[in-house]
Structures are given as C-alpha cells and as structure tokens.
C-alpha cells in the first residue's frame, strides 16, 4: 500500500502541471517548470523513495496500534517473556516496531526504485514499465503463495495414504 500511495501522490503534481502547461503567462511557465522537475529521473527516484518510507510509517501507524495489542494480550492472559504486562509491553512492542519498520521501509523503498536503478544502469528504459516495484512484489507474493498451496496439497496427499 505505501508504494501505491507514494506513486499516486508523486504522479498528481506532474499530471496537473501537464494540464496547465498550455496556458500562457506565469501559470504555464510555472506548470512547465513543475513538469520538468517531476520528469527528471533523479528527482522522481529520490522523491519516490522518500514518499515510500513516509507512507510506510504512516500506514503502519494507522493499521497497527501497540497499545491495543498490549491490552488484548493482557486480557487474554498472554505475555511476552521478560516483559511486564501492560504499559511495559506497549513500550516494548513500539520499540521493536520502530526497529523493524525502519528496515522494512528502507527495503520497500529500494524495491520501489529498483526498476528505475536497473533501467539507468542497463540503459533499457522499457524495463520500468514492464516490471515495476509493485509488480515485483505481487509476483513474489503469488509465487510464494503457490508454493505454500502445492506443499499443503502434497502433505495432504501423503497423509491420505496415496
């Protein structure tokens, strides 16, 4: 989701600048300058990377609440070994989340801009349109899910006695 959010936000100013580029006067000049900035591959790549990191933190903050998880864990009688239930569990989970989130955000940002980097190194510009960062993640996810399903079917067949 962070990749999709970042790409949507990144494409919006360039699209508006493209619409307003034909107008004469300072509006058209400004729109052309904005369009030129967003068409620069370096500016696009750096802003894309930063936006993916920002939206990774934002999306995680919206979807994962360490306080609610700690409360649910305490209500169900669960605990994290070596950590006291309640506020200590919430602080521990928030600390671990920040550590994992930083690494995950950097990795997700690299996956997002990897096709642009490969296109810049190899000179094959059509590569970014064929396999984007989101497409790469979807392909890997589908392959892993297919492998899990095949393994589950093979194990079920083994237990049936065939």
């Amino acid at each position: 989701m962070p990749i999709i959010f970042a790409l949507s936000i990144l494409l919006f100013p360039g699209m508006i600048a493209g619409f307003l580029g034909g107008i004469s006067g300072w509006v058209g000049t400004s729109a052309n300058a904005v369009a030129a900035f967003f068409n620069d591959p370096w500016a696009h790549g750096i802003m894309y990377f930063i936006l993916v990191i920002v939206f990774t933190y934002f999306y995680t903050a919206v979807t994962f609440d360490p306080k609610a998880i700690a409360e649910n864990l305490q209500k169900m009688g669960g605990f994290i070994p070596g950590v006291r239930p309640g506020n200590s569990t919430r602080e521990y989970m928030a600390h671990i989340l920040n550590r994992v989130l930083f690494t995950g955000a950097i990795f997700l940002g690299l996956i997002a801009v990897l096709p642009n980097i490969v296109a810049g190194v190899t000179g094959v510009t059509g590569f970014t349109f064929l396999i984007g960062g989101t497409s790469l993640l979807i392909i890997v996810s589908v392959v892993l899910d297919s492998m899990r399903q095949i393994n589950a079917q093979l194990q079920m067949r083994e237990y049936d006695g065939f």
Side-chain angles (χ1 to χ4, degrees):
M1 291 305 290
I3 291 178
I4 295 169
F5 289 154
L7 195 56
S8 298
I9 296 295
L10 190 61
L11 292 178
F12 186 70
M15 183 179 69
I16 296 299
F19 290 145
L20 299 176
I23 298 174
S24 62
W26 66 273
V27 173
T29 306
S30 300
N32 289 332
V34 168
F37 176 75
F38 280 101
N39 287 335
D40 180 32
W42 282 98
H44 183 270
I46 291 170
M47 288 183 62
Y48 191 27
F49 182 77
I50 291 170
L51 283 174
V52 166
I53 291 173
V54 167
F55 280 116
T56 301
Y57 274 94
F58 174 74
Y59 187 70
T60 303
V62 168
T63 58
F64 187 82
D65 184 18
K67 182 180 178 184
I69 301 291
E71 288 175 0
N72 287 338
L73 227 117
Q74 189 175 15
K75 287 178 187 175
M76 302 235 185
F79 63 95
I80 298 173
V83 180
R84 294 177 50 104
N87 196 31
S88 297
T89 300
R90 182 192 57 79
E91 290 173 1
Y92 177 77
M93 290 178 71
H95 175 70
I96 296 298
L97 177 67
N98 284 333
R99 289 175 56 188
V100 171
L101 192 57
F102 177 74
T103 307
I106 297 294
F107 180 71
L108 195 60
L110 287 175
I111 287 177
V113 297
L114 185 66
N116 295 340
I117 293 170
V118 170
V121 170
T122 62
V124 180
T125 57
F127 183 74
T128 57
F129 297 112
L130 294 175
I131 301 178
T134 309
S135 301
L136 194 62
L137 287 173
I138 291 171
I139 290 169
V140 169
S141 174
V142 168
V143 167
L144 289 175
D145 189 44
S146 298
M147 288 175 51
R148 274 189 227 116
Q149 288 181 2
I150 290 170
N151 284 334
Q153 290 295 326
L154 289 174
Q155 286 179 352
M156 191 170 71
R157 184 179 174 108
E158 184 177 315
Y159 287 130
D160 285 342
F162 290 111

